[in-house]
Each structure stands twice: as structure tokens, then as C-alpha cells.
Amino acid sequence: MLRRLPLLVLLFLPLPAFAQQDNAALDGDWDGALTVAGGISLRLDFHIGDGGTTAYIVSIDQSGAKIPVTSIVREGDNIAISAPAIHGNYAATLSADGKTMTGRWTQGAPLPLTLTRRAAGAAGPLVKRPQDPKPPYPYVSEDVVFDGPGGIHLA
């Protein structure tokens, strides 16, 4: 009977503790890009934190909103990340050095996606917004003046 006791103790240990311990190695920012129809590239930023218990995805070239991740499952080097709000799933393999994840993003048709861990404290990818243009402009820009009725002057 005493020989079975260690096995019984192991059976009652909480499994999430093991999953959290494995996921903690994933903490940080991970950058990658999807190539979609027409050769368009969409940059993605995956943020994983709190020992692998919280995460979100940002589609940098689209809305820039934080898309919640509801589950991260790690079994050895295999990683599965789910974002049901956008019907998205990522299945990947973590490299031996822990710096890249290589796999497939599925949100309809599966697409290859490699994520690279960003150095701690490094700035993320910049978003070029057309509402903040810098010269030289790819268009003609000129000042216009309009004098309207009643002494209205628009410039």
C-alpha cells in the first residue's frame, strides 16, 4: 500500500500549475507577418504575459485593437493559441533557443506564420498612418483662399 502512495499524490496535483510553468517561458512580445491574397503583408504582434496566463494579439496594419487570446496550450515544443473573438488559431513549434515560433495561423484558410521574440524593452513595429504625412508628399499641396459672402474669408 505504501508503494502506491507517491503515485496517488501525483494524481491529485493540479495540472494547470504545470501548464503555467511551461507557458511562463513564452512571456514577451512576438512579431510576425501574414502574407494574404494578392501578396499583402499583415503584421501581427502577439503579447504574452503573467506567466503565460494572459495574452492578446494586435493586427498592426489593420485596427490596432487588442484582440483577446483565451487559451495558450503548450505541450513540449508545440504551442496552440486561440483567439475565438476573430475565429483565429495559431499552431506552432517553439525553436530550441526559444526565440521563434514557426507554424500556421488559421482564420479560414491556414497561412504560414513565424513569430520572432522581440528583445525585452525593444519598441514594437511602427504604424505608418496616412493622417500624419511627412514631406515630401506623394501629391501636390497648395494653400487655397476663398472669399465668401458677408466678408467670410476661408484659408
Side-chain angles (χ1 to χ4, degrees):
M1 181 70 177
L2 289 177
R3 290 182 186 193
R4 293 184 186 171
L5 183 59
L7 179 60
L8 289 174
V9 170
L10 286 174
L11 289 174
F12 290 103
L13 286 174
L15 291 176
F18 293 117
Q20 289 176 1
Q21 190 174 31
D22 285 343
N23 288 352
L26 301 176
D27 278 4
D29 289 297
W30 298 81
D31 299 315
L34 288 171
T35 301
V36 296
I40 297 170
S41 180
L42 296 176
R43 296 174 297 163
L44 299 175
D45 173 30
F46 283 58
H47 175 79
I48 301 173
D50 300 323
T53 60
T54 63
Y56 60 83
I57 303 167
V58 175
S59 179
I60 297 160
D61 298 310
Q62 292 180 312
S63 72
K66 292 180 180 178
I67 302 160
V69 165
T70 59
S71 101
I72 302 171
V73 177
R74 179 175 178 188
E75 293 180 7
D77 292 334
N78 295 316
I79 313 295
I81 299 174
S82 288
I86 57 169
H87 306 287
N89 294 293
Y90 183 54
T93 302
L94 183 65
S95 65
D97 64 5
K99 294 182 181 179
T100 59
M101 287 188 243
T102 304
R104 295 220 171 266
W105 172 259
T106 305
Q107 192 180 17
L111 297 170
L113 176 62
T114 298
L115 297 176
T116 304
R117 184 188 300 268
R118 189 179 326 140
L126 298 176
V127 180
K128 292 184 180 179
R129 299 279 186 211
Q131 65 267 29
D132 298 326
K134 304 267 187 279
Y137 305 119
Y139 50 84
V140 175
S141 173
E142 67 180 276
D143 293 329
V144 177
V145 176
F146 174 77
D147 290 318
I152 297 175
H153 183 78
L154 300 174

